Amino acid sequence: MKLLQTISGRHRSLIRAIGRRYFAAPAEEYAKRNYANNESEYNTVITSITSQRRHYLLRDVYDDMMLDGVKPERDTFHSLIVGTMKGARLQDAFFFRDEMKTMGLVPDVALYNFLISTCGKCKNSQQATRILEEMKRYEVKPTGQTFICLLNACAAAGRLDRVYAIVRDMTAAGLGLNKFCYAGLIAAHKNKTPITDDTVSKIIELVDQSKGWSSVEASRDNAENVMMGISEEELYNIPTAEYIHRRGGFLNRQLTVYHVAFLACADLRNVEGTEALLEMLRKDGKNPDVFILVQVMRCYLHSGDIDRGQKIFEDYMNSGKPAMVELYMTLTEGAMVGYTPKGMQLALQTLEMMTSRGFFLSPKMGNDLLLAASGEKTGGYTMANYVWDLMQARKITPSLPAVEAYYNGLKERDIPEDDQRLILVSRTYDNLRLRLGTGPGRA
């Protein structure tokens, strides 16, 4: 669309991006400048913005609808709130809900589910619980999906007591637990603080219990969610949500509970738990998919066992299966843990190998690697310099935290003030600080 091609800059409002509206302009000139004239066209714009992950523009679109005198209907509010959910913009989500009520439209159960899911993405379990209370006041009957959204929202905040209370309510209502409920229970144990000695054993126990859930109890994507491109994994904030459309054996959706459990053990750096899960998976007659291999590698690497992490990577690459950029990235990042000479050398070699295979850094990958590599206090800073050069070659503008870390690392080394690399990094750092409002004289 013309609108989306003209938008430039994260902090430029939609109105500025397309030009201000001059209502005294001739009708022909106005039509040329206007990007939508009715609800259907605005819905198309909202869908396009959401698909391009420019969720910060949704409020601007809504403001333009009001200026144009176009009244949004229920479908429009659904699209707006789905967009805020995908972008984890909780304040915007509540704004659209309040606007909807102002226009006499009572949110339905699907929209409330989206709001609870947004709370989960933002780790705000209190607001999620308040939304359920609001549903009761408006006599909107919650569905099984509502309870699972709430369960996972509380799990993200580590509210283990609340999660088990929801499980009891579901059981009392005759609702069985499916794989997404067990995924939430595992996440709740991992996220609660403080972590206890029996956390990993509880996680493994839940994986074992989950094998009893039947296909009859399984929830299904409802028609509205499918139409809006929302999978159950996304609705419930399951960590595999962004990978469900990947091919080449990256993700086996039947292993959801295992995915969350392996991720938990990797985050907790618990090698014993990871190996117990691998044995359970083997006894079930299942092979680990790439997502699981990534978590196993993370667990070994972040526990300081570079050799075993590297062996998993090499075994996969020698298997003849499709190469996956996530495996390269996991080994590269994990090898840098502790900044040992051996690890930094392996990280550099892996990144060079990845580049030679035709994989390119995305902005997120580049920023993550630059931030990690910039923490090296000794050595030649070769890894950080290489990542910076790759980002420059791809014309990727680094994030402020990544540039700041890289700049500080360069300043700590014996580099002449007129060094071209230092000059470029310093200029980039200053420009980002000014643009983001953290430069000299800014509040």
Side-chain angles (χ1 to χ4, degrees):
M1 286 185 64
K2 217 174 197 180
L3 161 72
L4 298 173
Q5 293 171 353
T6 58
I7 298 172
S8 60
R10 182 178 179 84
H11 299 281
R12 180 174 298 179
S13 76
L14 188 63
I15 296 176
R16 288 200 302 270
I18 61 172
R20 293 192 175 276
R21 295 171 180 233
Y22 296 93
F23 295 99
E28 184 179 341
E29 184 66 21
Y30 172 78
K32 191 184 299 181
R33 288 174 177 165
N34 203 21
Y35 62 88
N37 297 296
N38 53 51
E39 190 196 15
S40 176
E41 291 180 5
Y42 271 110
N43 284 341
T44 301
V45 172
I46 292 167
T47 301
S48 298
I49 286 173
T50 300
S51 67
Q52 293 203 3
R53 301 184 181 183
R54 296 184 172 187
H55 315 102
Y56 51 90
L57 292 173
L58 292 171
R59 285 281 292 269
D60 291 314
V61 174
Y62 183 80
D63 289 343
D64 283 353
M65 289 186 76
M66 297 299 98
L67 286 173
D68 280 347
V70 177
K71 182 185 177 184
E73 299 296 339
R74 184 176 297 274
D75 288 346
T76 304
F77 280 112
H78 274 224
S79 296
L80 288 166
I81 291 178
V82 165
T84 61
M85 180 192 78
K86 289 177 178 287
R89 299 181 67 85
L90 188 58
Q91 187 174 354
D92 287 351
F94 285 131
F95 169 78
F96 291 131
R97 178 204 60 181
D98 294 342
E99 288 290 295
M100 187 176 184
K101 290 180 182 177
T102 301
M103 296 185 184
L105 298 171
V106 177
D108 56 17
V109 65
L111 192 138
Y112 276 122
N113 290 346
F114 299 150
L115 288 172
I116 294 173
S117 178
T118 308
C119 293
K121 287 183 189 295
C122 300
K123 294 181 172 54
N124 193 329
S125 61
Q126 288 186 334
Q127 284 288 3
T129 304
R130 289 186 189 125
I131 290 171
L132 183 65
E133 295 301 319
E134 181 180 311
M135 292 177 70
K136 294 176 182 177
R137 290 199 303 273
Y138 281 95
E139 297 182 347
V140 178
K141 184 178 179 181
T143 63
Q145 283 196 338
T146 308
F147 287 112
I148 301 174
C149 283
L150 183 61
L151 187 155
N152 280 282
C154 293
R159 292 290 308 278
L160 191 60
D161 55 339
R162 183 66 184 133
V163 167
Y164 275 106
I166 295 167
V167 169
R168 288 193 294 272
D169 289 344
M170 292 179 68
T171 304
L175 297 171
L177 302 183
N178 64 15
K179 61 182 180 180
F180 298 113
C181 298
Y182 284 104
L185 284 165
I186 291 170
H189 277 282
K190 186 205 77 170
N191 294 327
K192 76 179 176 67
T193 54
I195 297 294
T196 57
D197 293 338
D198 65 344
T199 295
V200 173
S201 62
K202 289 285 188 183
I203 289 172
I204 293 172
E205 184 181 327
L206 285 166
V207 174
D208 194 47
Q209 291 175 7
S210 72
K211 298 173 186 177
W213 74 276
S214 97
S215 57
V216 176
E217 297 169 327
S219 58
R220 291 285 182 265
D221 295 317
N222 66 32
E224 181 171 11
N225 291 354
V226 171
M227 287 176 61
M228 292 192 162
I230 305 169
S231 66
E232 285 188 299
E233 285 85 352
E234 183 173 17
L235 185 65
Y236 305 139
N237 297 313
I238 305 300
T240 53
E242 62 181 297
Y243 303 112
I244 60 169
H245 299 298
R246 290 288 298 274
R247 299 184 182 275
F250 189 92
L251 193 76
N252 179 355
R253 293 180 75 180
Q254 299 302 312
L255 300 178
T256 297
V257 179
Y258 273 110
H259 292 146
V260 179
F262 274 107
L263 177 65
C265 287
D267 288 346
L268 297 173
R269 303 184 182 188
N270 193 295
V271 174
E272 185 179 345
T274 294
E275 292 179 342
L277 289 171
L278 284 171
E279 181 61 19
M280 289 176 69
L281 192 63
R282 186 189 65 79
K283 288 181 178 178
D284 287 346
K286 306 288 187 182
N287 293 318
D289 55 23
V290 175
F291 183 88
I292 289 175
L293 291 179
V294 165
Q295 306 315 317
V296 176
M297 286 175 61
R298 284 182 60 235
C299 186
Y300 286 140
L301 292 165
H302 288 261
S303 300
D305 195 339
I306 292 178
D307 293 335
R308 295 177 78 180
Q310 184 180 6
K311 186 176 186 306
I312 292 173
F313 174 83
E314 291 175 346
D315 287 347
Y316 179 87
M317 291 301 171
N318 294 331
S319 69
K321 296 176 183 177
M324 302 282 182
V325 68
E326 288 81 4
L327 291 169
Y328 286 103
M329 286 293 298
T330 301
L331 183 57
T332 301
E333 287 184 291
M336 287 191 284
V337 172
Y339 302 104
T340 63
K342 176 182 176 181
M344 296 305 292
Q345 182 63 28
L346 176 60
L348 181 61
Q349 290 173 349
T350 305
L351 189 55
E352 289 174 340
M353 189 192 318
M354 174 180 133
T355 305
S356 68
R357 291 289 298 266
F359 291 109
F360 299 106
L361 291 179
S362 68
K364 183 181 185 307
M365 291 176 187
N367 283 313
D368 289 347
L369 287 181
L370 184 61
L371 194 58
S374 297
E376 184 185 14
K377 299 301 181 185
T378 59
Y381 222 41
T382 309
M383 181 64 183
N385 289 339
Y386 183 58
V387 174
W388 172 267
D389 292 342
L390 288 177
M391 295 179 73
Q392 292 298 299
R394 297 279 296 168
K395 292 181 169 48
I396 296 174
T397 301
S399 67
L400 180 59
V403 173
E404 185 174 25
Y406 183 51
Y407 174 74
N408 290 335
L410 288 174
K411 292 290 287 183
E412 290 171 2
R413 286 163 167 77
D414 187 17
I415 300 175
E417 290 293 329
D418 60 351
D419 180 83
Q420 291 303 305
R421 179 185 296 275
L422 181 59
I423 291 172
L424 176 60
V425 174
S426 177
R427 185 188 308 132
T428 305
Y429 178 43
D430 290 340
N431 289 341
L432 284 172
R433 291 175 66 204
L434 288 171
R435 188 192 309 170
L436 301 176
T438 59
R442 299 295 179 113

